[in-house]
Amino acid sequence: MKEPENYKILLVSPHEGEFPGVKSISAFLTIKGIDNLSVPYEPGKKESLLHLIRESQPSIIGFSLTYQRMFDDFAELIVYLRRNGIMAHFTMGGHFPTIECIKIMEYLPELDSIIRGEGEITLMKLYRKLKFPFIWDNIDGLCYRDEMSKIKVNNCRKLIENLDELPIPEIVKSQMSKKSFRTANLMSNRGCYYSCNYCTSPGFYNETTGIQRRSRSPQSVVKEMEYLHYAKGVNIFNFEGDDFIINTAASRDWAYQFIDELKERKLTGKIVWKMSCRINDIERDIICDLQKAGLILIHLSIESGNNPNLQLFNNRYATEDILKVINLLNEIDLSFEFSVMLLNPYSTIETLKEDLKFIKRFSTSEAAVIHFSKMMVYTGTNLYNQLMSQDRITGTFSSPDYNYTDNRLELFELILHKAFHYRNNDKNGLVNLLRSAKAECLLINTFNPGAESFFYYRNLKPLIKEANKQLIETLGAVIDMISTLSYDEILNYWTIIENIVETHIEKEQRTTYLLNEILDYQLNFNHSEIC
């Protein structure tokens, strides 16, 4: 945290990662002359934040609830701050608060307001009118308590149409990685063109007006990249968001203007970048041209390996499309990573077998590290509403869950958690370690090809292949076993299942040991030429 100063607004966000919405709000407030500070909050470290607040005396404290499941942590923090005499105006923003503003205000009386939708303009207006609550009713996008403590929900705020009008966060406040390769996260667009049934974006944007998916101009994006490269030494850019490009004529035109701008500013060959993209938005010609302009890795959301689930999720693509894209990426030697939601409310033993069979078709190689998860259900999504109508929602207000139609999958989920939770989700787990090592070696191969990149291809790729093989074998063994057993019989065979899990963990630990040897070897190389 910075040395104590007097800030008018303090923005509190989750401690892990950088959040483009918070960075944008902070930059916007700064150019409007409103001193502010954005700080991460780690649950369990309330005292240090309390000390900062007492020192800086902000008028408004804004809590960015990026993840619905962090609501309890933030609620605990808000109550703690109030009990320790903090009288600043508390506001909150994010998808969940936007969708459930009234329930959250009722649940958390210590909260003064909620900013619905995009926060830049609403927060600025709230600050400027903070001392005049009797006129808060004309602040679009605000949910608040009036002077009689009655909850009021104002009109929604129109989305910011021209994103180029927003300041560039990294220019106002630059936060760089301390790794040998200097990295920056960028935002090229806002909103989503699609309406997947499990995603909160449709519900969030239904609370606003205006065009949902908007892009910054290619000129603005590349200008930011140019500044960060030459002024800050950044050579790797991560584009945040789910869809860097979409399958429309306007988006294709945008992409080619982006490429032309990179060439015009002589950045091609000096920088590389990563993006996320949907399966049905990837086309050979444009991907090949983006690759020539510095694209080195794509994050794919495959979601499922069977068509009924993909249709249920409203993904708008099929398994055949997935295979076509993966074959294309392998053919042009463009690296990718992916994730599959192995469990969902409508999973059955048969869908598990189909998913595993599908994953096996393209994951027995070293192309990408297998990552899977359980589909989470979020308030305000079509999926949540459907499960509510079926009386299948369980869990809590902040962490809703669901039951399965086949109760054996409850036990299967426990097995997955014990065997793979650390592997899939922890920063020191095998998925993150392998992906990070792979990304690092891709960068070495780009900026300093030679012996070290050869070492990667010779040593790291077989580990990825082996890790994928271990996972597929363990998943297959467990699924085959539970498919022939009843719920009670699975419990009777639990010791055997635990032995399968322990054997897998031991194999995983050996793979991690070998990986660490490779990483130690890499550290002996001098990266000074590319730092």
Side-chain angles (χ1 to χ4, degrees), residues 154-368:
N154 292 348
N155 294 331
C156 56
R157 177 169 297 283
K158 185 177 180 180
L159 296 168
I160 298 170
E161 186 172 342
N162 183 2
L163 298 183
D164 286 0
E165 294 176 352
L166 296 173
I168 298 173
E170 281 76 13
I171 289 180
V172 177
K173 295 177 181 177
S174 180
Q175 297 180 346
M176 296 297 103
S177 168
K178 294 183 179 179
K179 297 180 180 179
S180 21
F181 297 104
R182 293 183 64 79
T183 304
N185 296 331
L186 299 186
M187 178 202 72
S188 63
N189 61 72
R190 283 187 180 182
C192 185
Y193 186 73
Y194 298 97
S195 54
C196 298
N197 287 336
Y198 49 82
C199 182
T200 59
S201 287
F204 176 81
Y205 286 105
N206 285 341
E207 300 295 325
T208 62
T209 61
I211 300 172
Q212 292 188 10
R213 191 185 190 280
R214 297 138 292 145
S215 296
R216 294 169 58 190
S217 68
Q219 294 78 15
S220 171
V221 175
V222 178
K223 180 181 178 182
E224 180 179 4
M225 297 171 76
E226 181 183 42
Y227 168 82
L228 290 171
H229 176 66
Y230 288 109
K232 302 293 184 179
V234 175
N235 45 15
I236 302 101
F237 296 91
N238 298 315
F239 281 99
E240 299 175 321
D242 296 328
D243 51 0
F244 180 76
I245 54 173
I246 57 177
N247 192 11
T248 65
S251 183
R252 286 190 290 273
D253 289 343
W254 187 97
Y256 280 110
Q257 290 180 46
F258 173 75
I259 293 170
D260 289 342
E261 281 293 318
L262 289 173
K263 293 178 181 177
E264 178 71 21
R265 297 177 187 267
K266 296 180 171 54
L267 289 175
T268 51
K270 298 178 182 178
I271 58 99
V272 295
W273 46 283
K274 310 170 189 177
M275 72 176 191
S276 297
C277 199
R278 289 171 55 92
I279 292 294
N280 50 335
D281 290 327
I282 293 179
E283 296 179 334
R284 172 183 289 271
D285 291 346
I286 195 167
I287 289 297
C288 288
D289 289 334
L290 290 171
Q291 183 183 23
K292 293 174 185 176
L295 174 63
I296 61 165
L297 187 141
I298 298 181
H299 294 278
L300 301 174
S301 295
I302 290 177
E303 314 302 18
S304 179
N306 64 85
N307 287 326
N309 276 348
L310 292 173
Q311 292 171 3
L312 177 69
F313 305 157
N314 197 32
N315 284 123
R316 302 189 191 179
Y317 53 80
T319 54
E320 295 79 10
D321 302 314
I322 298 173
L323 293 174
K324 182 179 177 181
V325 165
I326 290 175
N327 289 336
L328 167 63
L329 298 180
N330 286 330
E331 178 187 338
I332 65 176
D333 196 25
L334 179 55
S335 188
F336 67 94
E337 295 295 353
F338 71 93
S339 181
V340 174
M341 291 188 285
L342 193 62
L343 282 173
N344 67 75
Y346 300 97
S347 291
T348 64
I349 298 296
E350 289 307 310
T351 63
L352 292 177
K353 289 181 177 180
E354 290 174 18
D355 281 341
L356 187 61
K357 181 179 179 181
F358 182 77
I359 296 170
K360 189 174 181 180
R361 292 179 66 177
F362 58 85
S363 298
T364 51
S365 70
E366 67 283 351

Side-chain angles (χ1 to χ4, degrees), residues 468-486:
N468 287 346
K469 178 184 175 185
Q470 291 168 3
L471 181 139
I472 289 172
E473 288 178 348
T474 302
L475 277 178
V478 173
I479 292 172
D480 286 344
M481 173 173 281
I482 67 172
S483 67
T484 62
L485 302 174
S486 67

